[in-house]
Amino acid sequence: MLTMIGFYLLSVLAVVAGLFLVLSRNLLHAVLALAVASMAVAGLMLTLSAEFLAFVLILVYIGAVVVIGVFAVMLTGHFDHPKLPTSNELKGLGAVTSLGLLFLLLGVVLIQPIAQARTVAELSVKQIGTLLLTKYVLPFELVSVLLLAALIGAIVIARGKED
Amino acid sequence: MMITLTHYLVIGCILFAISMYGVFTRRNAVALLLAIELIMLAVALNFTAGTRFLGDAGGQIFAIFVITVAAAEAAVGLALVIAIYRNQKDVDLDRLTILKG
Amino acid sequence: MINHAWIIPVLPLAAAVIVALAGKRGDRLAGSISAGAIFFSLIISLKFFAAFLVNPAAKEVSWVWLKSAGNLTLEVGMLIDPLTVIMLVVVTFVSLMVQIYSMGYMAEDEGKARYFAFISLFTFSMLGLVLANNLVMVYMFWELVGLSSYLLIGFWYHKPEAANAGKKAFVVTRFGDLGFLIGILVLGYFLNTFNIIEVGTAAQTGKLTGGLGTCVALLIFAGAVGKSAQFPLHIWLPDAMEGPTPVSALIHAATMVAAGVFLVARVFPVFTASDTAMLVVAYVGGFTAIFAATIACVQDDIKRILAYSTVSQLGYMMMALGCGGYFAGVFHLMTHAAFKALLFLAAGSVIHAVHTNNIWEMGGLIKRMGITGTTMLIAAVALAGVFPFSGFFSKDAILFAALDAGRMDLLVLGIFTALLTSFYIFRLFFVVFTGKPNSTQPGHESPAVMTMPLMTLAILSLGLGFFAARFEHFIVASLGANREILHQHNRLVPMFAFLAVLFGFGWAYLVYFQKAISATLLTRKFSLLYKLLKHKYFIDEIYLFFVRYVMLVVSAGLAWFDRQVVDGAVNGVAWLCRRMGAGIRRLQVGRLQAYIFAFVLGLIVLAVSLLVTHPDVMAIIP
């Protein structure tokens, strides 16, 4: 029961934060909305007994992505321009397409009966660590390289021509 | 009434569709990137739910990878935005059309 | 000895290269170098001639040049037989005479070095043509000769007539050369050889019979028609007179135009193998002989008269060959080379003195130009064929050949041509050398350097005929087969011929010396005929008409088709691509989100269509 209340509260929070992110005029508000959405999703993950992932999510999204976002907003200036519309002329078409996409996905999810596992699986941090370094060691290494490349790339791109 | 996989998937889908709308419509490049981060978030949630209800550890592992990619994407994407801003003094996507045919 | 024959053509080539490289600096020495080289060539040629008089067997030396995958080999080589040595001596001798003469004639000319380089190049090509042992090499030198001829006709290229005449000569002979080339290729295809001796043997052993033999012979004859200015490709030779007169003497009277006759003689077995081909050769030659002679009777330009005379005499030679008179044709080639070169050089001497080509602006020159006049008279008599001048013997040989072949029509034609020849050449002589001197251009005798060659050639024109019998044995020996020399020693033929010559002479004497009959009255009486002859039977006009109204119209049609339809199709494709690009380019709006939108939309459409058409894909979800 508690889980259910938590699930619905967090769900509503996530959706509202998402809408806010997409619609808000002020970019700083949008960044904050992303932080709220991240926390809501992290909460949802807790209801799924995925504590490790929840913390990682908060760490990465709020600690890194949101902070970088704030930096970007600050650096590029005029994050809040009341005269200019926040969205382009694709507004109507975009809304329709998004709704279509939503209905498509919901159709797949709702109509198709998904075989629910009887046992509810839980994954401890230890198990995740073991899996990452055994069964998933290759993707893990690949993703590490990707991260390194992204790090170097970001530095090179953001630094520009002058050294 | 139990909370089932379907509930989580529905939430994921809604978040995904919302962020897609953002991707379509935001004129600011930074806002576009934030919307993309939200997509990653929705996907990570779905994967996590998969582990929980389908009993496959791969879901959570994959969610970790998704989060990693999201972080990398945020770093590179925002670096690009800053680079574009330095060159064009603008991050308005409607005006960044120099590759127009 | 044969191994050293290559020196003969190489000497003039070396002279040509040296003179050409020296350019203007070598102006003074150009003539001496060029004439010196040809002098040594003449010496060597004479040595060969002497050697062949002792032993007339043909000698060949050759190296393999290219070997094709089949059995066909291309060789580089020389074939020397009595015909070759005669041609060698004729070419080197006339060339030497002309070059010595040119030193006087061209003394004042700006492009002396160029002139001598060209003339040496021509001599080289002609000697190469004569020496070549296979038809491919013959063709190569054939074209080189044509090139030198083009260069020398257009020597005074600043004169538009000269430049045009050069082009005309080149283009007109091309028609014949195309046939020649095709003939060579057909021959190579069927006989697997280009070697002249092997071709001859093949023809004699009956490998070239029927349609194929006739076809090959006629194709080769086409080349000869072009080079030897036979009807209907004769039109270039009179125009070629725009070149310097010594060039006309060398190339367009004595040597190059005789190359056609030489070619027919060289592959004579190919012709004798086909009666049709022989007939064509004989009648083309006979027709050309009388046709050109009639034109020569009314021309005003001294060089053009001689040019038509050359065409006529070449026709004579062809007629002889066509009647099987191998010796007659070659012997006439030889004597003609001497007296026609003399006629041209004498005419050049006259032109040099009075600075005009029009015979009516000359007159009474015999008093001031004794040597030129006398030598020209000798040449004229020789051309007319009066005993004991050389022309008499060769012309008689031709008439006998016609008689031997049983072609009475050609015999009559030949005798009538002799009449006309006598008429036009004495008309020329009387108008130019007798009568009232022209006051504006008194004229004067040419320097010794020019009269010396005239006198040398005059002696030859006079004396060559006495060696007719000697030559006959010598030349016929080169045919390989010991052909019987049969003459119906018919006394009537020379008598008729002599009467014809006398009649022609008398007519010319009455009209142009005594002026007993008015020339203008005659022209008025026969005005239609006169006009026809004056305009050379309108052949040029007919060709021009054909080119202008048939070829150009067809070409214009084709050009229109090319420009509108072919180019239109090409341009249309390009236009279509451009328009499509312009249309598609609008999709490339350059806006990131439009691309993402299109991408997602496509994805949705794909997913929906997949779900609709294959609902079972859902089953893969556990």
Side-chain angles (χ1 to χ4, degrees), chain C residues 247-507:
Chain C
V247 166
S248 307
L250 175 62
I251 301 183
H252 306 119
T255 55
M256 186 191 85
V257 289
V261 177
F262 167 77
L263 179 69
V264 174
R266 190 71 150 171
V267 292
F268 202 53
V270 175
F271 284 90
T272 46
S274 163
D275 289 338
T276 320
M278 289 295 267
L279 213 65
V280 170
V281 174
Y283 279 97
V284 166
F287 178 71
T288 307
I290 190 155
F291 167 84
T294 52
I295 299 176
C297 291
V298 299
Q299 295 299 304
D300 298 327
D301 184 317
I302 184 168
K303 287 184 72 180
R304 275 175 192 264
I305 296 172
L306 294 177
Y308 278 109
S309 164
T310 305
V311 173
S312 167
Q313 295 299 308
L314 290 166
Y316 236 60
M317 297 174 208
M318 285 294 183
M319 186 176 96
L321 290 173
C323 291
Y326 184 83
F327 157 73
V330 174
F331 189 53
H332 195 59
L333 191 165
M334 210 175 148
T335 56
H336 175 257
F339 62 67
K340 190 49 71 63
L342 174 53
L343 278 172
F344 266 108
L345 293 183
S349 177
V350 169
I351 294 167
H352 196 61
V354 299
H355 301 289
T356 176
N357 279 11
N358 193 328
I359 53 172
W360 303 107
E361 290 171 20
M362 305 166 184
L365 287 172
I366 192 85
K367 289 181 197 115
R368 293 166 195 278
M369 306 180 69
I371 301 171
T372 306
T374 313
T375 51
M376 189 143 189
L377 182 62
I378 292 169
V381 175
L383 172 66
V386 177
F387 185 85
F389 293 83
S390 59
F392 169 78
F393 296 94
S394 52
K395 195 187 65 195
D396 256 15
I398 291 171
L399 295 177
F400 275 129
L403 190 65
D404 282 350
R407 304 217 170 281
M408 297 314 283
D409 47 350
L410 285 176
L411 180 67
V412 172
L413 205 134
I415 290 175
F416 189 62
T417 305
L419 189 158
L420 289 172
T421 307
S422 168
F423 172 73
Y424 68 68
I425 198 64
F426 285 111
R427 165 178 178 263
L428 170 71
F429 182 79
F430 287 138
V431 170
V432 172
F433 286 100
T434 63
K436 260 197 295 201
N438 192 308
S439 49
T440 50
Q441 294 285 355
H444 55 85
E445 188 53 276
S446 299
V449 71
M450 283 165 73
T451 51
M452 282 288 286
L454 292 183
M455 290 186 277
T456 318
L457 285 166
I459 292 166
L460 277 178
S461 303
L462 221 157
L464 263 181
F466 294 109
F467 301 101
R470 190 77 207 273
F471 272 120
E472 183 156 15
H473 288 284
F474 182 49
I475 292 171
V476 170
S478 77
L479 272 184
N482 225 346
R483 282 166 57 95
E484 198 190 339
I485 305 161
L486 78 136
H487 278 184
Q488 303 175 14
H489 275 286
N490 193 330
R491 305 240 165 201
L492 277 177
V493 171
M495 221 147 85
F496 272 119
F498 184 70
L499 277 178
V501 169
L502 207 64
F503 189 74
F505 170 79
W507 198 246

Side-chain angles (χ1 to χ4, degrees), chain B residues 20 22-27 32 93-94 96-97 99-101, chain C residues 585-586 588-593 595-598 600-601 622:
Chain B
M20 214 61 217
V23 169
F24 289 153
T25 56
R26 294 304 295 239
R27 298 176 73 232
L32 181 86
L93 293 170
D94 280 1
L96 293 176
T97 56
L99 285 181
K100 184 174 173 177
Chain C
R585 161 185 177 174
R586 274 176 220 184
Q588 208 72 9
V589 290
R591 275 174 42 194
L592 188 62
Q593 279 147 314
Y595 301 151
I596 301 174
F597 180 72
V600 173
L601 210 60

Side-chain angles (χ1 to χ4, degrees), chain A residues 70-144:
Chain A
V70 171
F71 272 131
V73 171
M74 291 302 191
L75 282 172
T76 57
H78 49 59
F79 44 83
D80 179 21
H81 203 300
K83 298 254 174 62
L84 284 172
T86 53
S87 54
N88 55 24
E89 71 268 29
L90 275 170
K91 210 169 184 172
L93 270 175
V96 171
T97 313
S98 304
L99 276 176
L101 193 64
L102 179 62
F103 288 131
L104 179 70
L105 291 172
L106 286 181
V108 172
V109 167
L110 294 176
I111 294 165
Q112 177 69 20
I114 297 173
Q116 303 266 339
R118 292 272 168 262
T119 53
V120 175
E122 286 184 19
L123 220 55
S124 68
V125 182
K126 190 181 170 186
Q127 281 172 305
I128 292 174
T130 312
L131 277 172
L132 273 180
L133 290 177
T134 54
K135 191 178 175 188
Y136 295 102
V137 69
L138 187 64
F140 179 70
E141 294 295 342
L142 284 177
V143 124
S144 310

Side-chain angles (χ1 to χ4, degrees), chain B residues 11-86:
Chain B
I11 294 300
C13 289
I14 293 170
L15 278 178
F16 185 84
I18 290 170
S19 50
M20 214 61 217
Y21 174 75
V23 169
F24 289 153
T25 56
R26 294 304 295 239
R27 298 176 73 232
N28 192 299
V30 178
L32 181 86
L33 283 171
L34 294 177
I36 292 172
E37 294 300 326
L38 193 59
I39 291 179
M40 305 282 202
L41 210 58
V43 171
L45 178 63
N46 275 8
F47 275 122
T48 317
T51 298
R52 170 75 173 176
F53 293 107
L54 298 176
D56 186 347
Q60 271 201 33
I61 304 291
F62 213 89
I64 292 172
F65 292 150
V66 169
I67 291 165
T68 317
V69 170
E73 182 261 326
V76 175
L78 291 169
L80 280 171
V81 168
I82 287 167
I84 291 168
Y85 179 73
R86 204 169 35 228

